[in-house]
Amino acid sequence: MKILSVASEVFPLIKTGGLADVTGALPGALAGLGVSTRTMLPGYPSVVARLPKRARALHSYPDLFGGKAKVLGVEIDGLDLLVLDAPHLFDRPGGAYGDAGGVDWPDNWKRFAAFSRAAADVAGGAIAGWRPDIVHAHDWQAALTLAYLRYGDASAPPSVITVHNLAFQGQFPASIFAELGLPAHAMGLDGVEYFGGVGFLKAGLQAASAITTVSPTYASEIRTPAFGMGLDGLLNLRAGQLHGILNGIDTGQWNPETDTHLASRYTVRTLKHRSANRHAIETRFGLDHDAGPLLCVVSRLTWQKGMDILAAELDRIVAAGARLAILGAGDQGLEGVLLAGAARHRGRVGVVVGYDEGLSHLLQGGADAILIPSRFEPCGLTQLYGLRYGCVPVVARTGGLADTIVDANHAALAAGVATGFQFAPESGEALVDAVWRLVGVFGDDGAWPAMQKQGMKADVSWQASAKDYVKLYRSIAA
Ligand SMILES: Nc1ncnc2c1ncn2[C@@H]1O[C@H](COP(=O)(O)OP(=O)(O)O[C@H]2O[C@H](CO)[C@@H](O)[C@H](O)[C@H]2O)[C@@H](O)[C@H]1O
């Protein structure tokens, strides 16, 4: 079976968050099940820089939304890629979605409409000798692919759309509709129209043969007004086609036994070797060297991730005897509050502002626990990395966090099945209460390593979920 995966981020070529991890790892897991994936992504500068000199142009456009464009076929790091090389849309400094200051590009609608147009062309057979059996679009940036297929190509292959985060919907004014090249009747309630404008994600949800999101709990949550972000009505209408398939992780990239980002590598049998990583973290974050629990955070600094809740509780977390190493970037107001907290608690709280893949591995490999106080979390990957690295997750009970962590309540501890700490509601009180519970278990040198080891035994690979995707692909192809 042949899949065309369409995504705006793919690790290791371009990553701003968890989407890239998933689109970079899933093809490898599917390959073992007899499913081959070609992944289409935009030709950002970081992607074009990785292309071989003579990458083959498999399809060309004299004019794609205002400039010349080509679809280049390459293989990089085992991924079979189709890169949309369209310099007028993607060759610019800054990030994938905005300038260096984080402000969204004003022509994002055009960039991702063009990307989707080209993906729909590939799905329809634009590349000689290759046509996919299924089109799998990820998030709003790829969603319009399915609308182009729905309104353009009667023989279009069946499709899946995966929602990695319903908070990002690609909502634009109605005035852009005329430039999308869709027929007039597409601008309707069951088409691309969304609250009077054009909704890219909405259009994809409407057109897809099947909808998935990245955990079973989030699949239920988004059917409620509290989590549906305006799309719960549509998702309820399409509930029969909505599936929650848990993310896995790339257990090759994330393996404490071989991870070159660590100061010291280890296995479930040599947990004591984590102490060198712990020491390296303390040095890097300017923290005291002591025997109390070292907590970490690896996160986008946003409201979704509950980083304001965390920032407001630094004093009480420090008072509980914990130290905290925070790696994050995002909201500049939050960066300031956290840096001020670190200045107030020298030696107890350290903050590194920025995006640093290697440091994120070191934190998982040396901190005792990772805090994830998200207000909502479609799946979450950092708790899965935490499990694999013996970095005990402390999570809000929501979305995929609720699905992947076994709370250390009395019964779970007694049965030896606990893998972390869950708290609810998503409040400062509940977070601090969970930290106190952690401090209690940390002081028990039987229970604590048992919990680390139990987490390390959890299956966080793609194995089970890749099978679920194959089942879904087969069911819609039939
Ligand atoms: N400052 C920093 N430096 C280095 N690395 C950093 C970093 N900040 C974050 N990261 C890394 O970025 C990734 C973030 O993963 P999340 O699961 O939290 O995804 P995110 O919320 O971006 O995406 C959405 O999509 C994913 C994938 O489906 C869902 O799991 C998730 O719930 C949903 O919100 C992890 O690999 C993490 O280590």
Side-chain angles (χ1 to χ4, degrees):
M1 183 178 276
K2 301 192 291 287
I3 310 296
L4 173 65
S5 172
V6 188
S8 57
E9 297 180 27
V10 182
F11 185 84
L13 292 120
I14 171 82
K15 169 170 169 178
T16 74
L19 168 65
D21 290 354
V22 171
T23 58
L26 183 55
L30 291 171
L33 301 170
V35 172
S36 67
T37 307
R38 274 192 137 168
T39 304
M40 183 141 172
L41 78 165
Y44 310 110
S46 70
V47 176
V48 172
R50 294 281 309 266
L51 295 177
K53 279 240 163 51
R54 274 196 297 269
R56 274 207 310 146
L58 302 176
H59 187 60
S60 302
Y61 296 88
D63 183 357
L64 178 70
F65 284 77
K68 280 190 188 168
K70 295 182 286 230
V71 178
L72 304 171
V74 287
E75 210 180 298
I76 298 176
D77 289 346
L79 291 164
D80 184 356
L81 301 174
L82 296 170
V83 175
L84 178 64
D85 185 22
H88 62 297
L89 300 171
F90 299 114
D91 182 15
R92 48 182 83 167
Y97 313 121
D99 63 21
V103 178
D104 279 358
W105 300 114
D107 61 347
N108 270 346
W109 68 269
K110 189 188 293 188
R111 301 169 77 225
F112 293 106
F115 176 56
S116 297
R117 173 70 266 171
D121 294 339
V122 170
I127 293 178
W130 193 80
R131 205 185 153 104
D133 301 306
I134 305 276
V135 181
H136 188 162
H138 297 268
D139 277 352
W140 75 264
Q141 295 89 343
L144 219 54
T145 307
L146 308 190
Y148 281 120
L149 289 171
R150 173 182 176 191
Y151 293 105
D153 184 347
S155 67
S159 59
V160 179
I161 184 158
T162 295
V163 178
H164 294 267
N165 192 338
L166 205 58
F168 302 108
Q169 300 189 352
Q171 211 176 333
F172 301 102
S175 55
I176 68 155
F177 178 75
E179 298 187 56
L180 295 179
L182 286 164
H185 67 272
M187 190 60 179
L189 204 58
D190 85 330
V192 307
E193 190 274 337
Y194 189 50
F195 291 113
V198 174
F200 281 29
L201 181 63
K202 187 264 182 172
L205 293 174
Q206 205 62 258
S209 320
I211 300 168
T212 71
T213 186
V214 287
S215 70
T217 293
Y218 193 60
S220 308
E221 287 171 343
I222 55 178
R223 293 176 56 191
T224 66
F227 290 88
M229 305 205 165
L231 286 163
D232 42 300
L234 190 169
L235 290 164
N236 274 306
L237 283 173
R238 301 219 59 202
Q241 290 84 47
L242 173 63
H243 310 264
I245 302 180
L246 212 52
N247 285 336
I249 65 169
D250 184 330
T251 49
Q253 287 285 338
W254 292 88
N255 180 358
E257 205 173 345
T258 55
D259 193 330
T260 53
H261 298 298
L262 302 185
S264 166
R265 284 166 278 286
Y266 60 94
T267 69
V268 71
R269 282 175 302 282
T270 56
L271 276 176
K272 58 178 186 307
H273 293 171
R274 294 182 95 254
S275 61
N277 300 323
R278 200 170 193 272
H279 197 271
I281 295 168
E282 289 162 352
T283 304
R284 176 73 197 269
F285 284 80
L287 297 172
D288 301 339
H289 300 288
D290 73 32
L294 172 60
L295 316 182
C296 76
V297 169
V298 178
S299 185
R300 292 187 286 114
L301 301 179
T302 63
W303 184 88
Q304 173 198 345
K305 301 291 184 185
M307 286 297 119
D308 53 321
I309 299 174
L310 175 87
E313 296 300 344
L314 294 181
D315 298 0
R316 291 205 287 170
I317 291 171
V318 169
R323 287 158 303 145
L324 185 56
I326 303 173
L327 169 64
D331 183 300
Q332 289 183 353
L334 276 172
E335 289 176 5
V337 177
L338 291 171
L339 286 167
R344 218 168 47 241
H345 295 289
R346 252 178 232 297
R348 309 309 295 173
V349 177
V351 176
V352 171
V353 170
Y355 187 90
D356 188 332
E357 188 76 22
L359 190 54
S360 77
H361 284 241
L362 181 67
L363 284 165
Q364 299 277 12
D368 300 303
I370 180 162
L371 302 184
I372 313 176
S374 305
R375 287 197 167 81
F376 67 94
E377 196 60 77
C379 178
L381 295 171
T382 55
Q383 85 279 16
L384 303 181
Y385 300 140
L387 288 174
R388 178 126 170 102
Y389 278 64
C391 181
V392 173
V394 180
V395 305
R397 186 178 301 133
T398 186
L401 300 173
D403 289 332
T404 53
I405 302 302
V406 180
D407 180 52
N409 61 33
H410 186 75
L413 280 173
V417 295
T419 59
F421 299 85
Q422 289 194 353
F423 62 89
E426 66 285 10
S427 67
E429 289 292 327
L431 167 64
V432 171
D433 182 60
V435 170
W436 274 108
R437 286 204 288 141
L438 175 150
V439 169
V441 181
F442 188 77
D444 179 334
D445 28 305
W448 183 261
M451 194 155 116
Q452 285 179 296
K453 288 176 188 163
Q454 186 65 17
M456 292 177 84
K457 280 196 274 176
D459 181 9
V460 291
S461 77
W462 271 106
Q463 257 207 324
S465 296
K467 283 188 189 141
D468 289 340
Y469 276 110
V470 174
K471 224 184 279 167
L472 179 67
Y473 292 153
R474 293 232 157 90
S475 74
I476 60 172

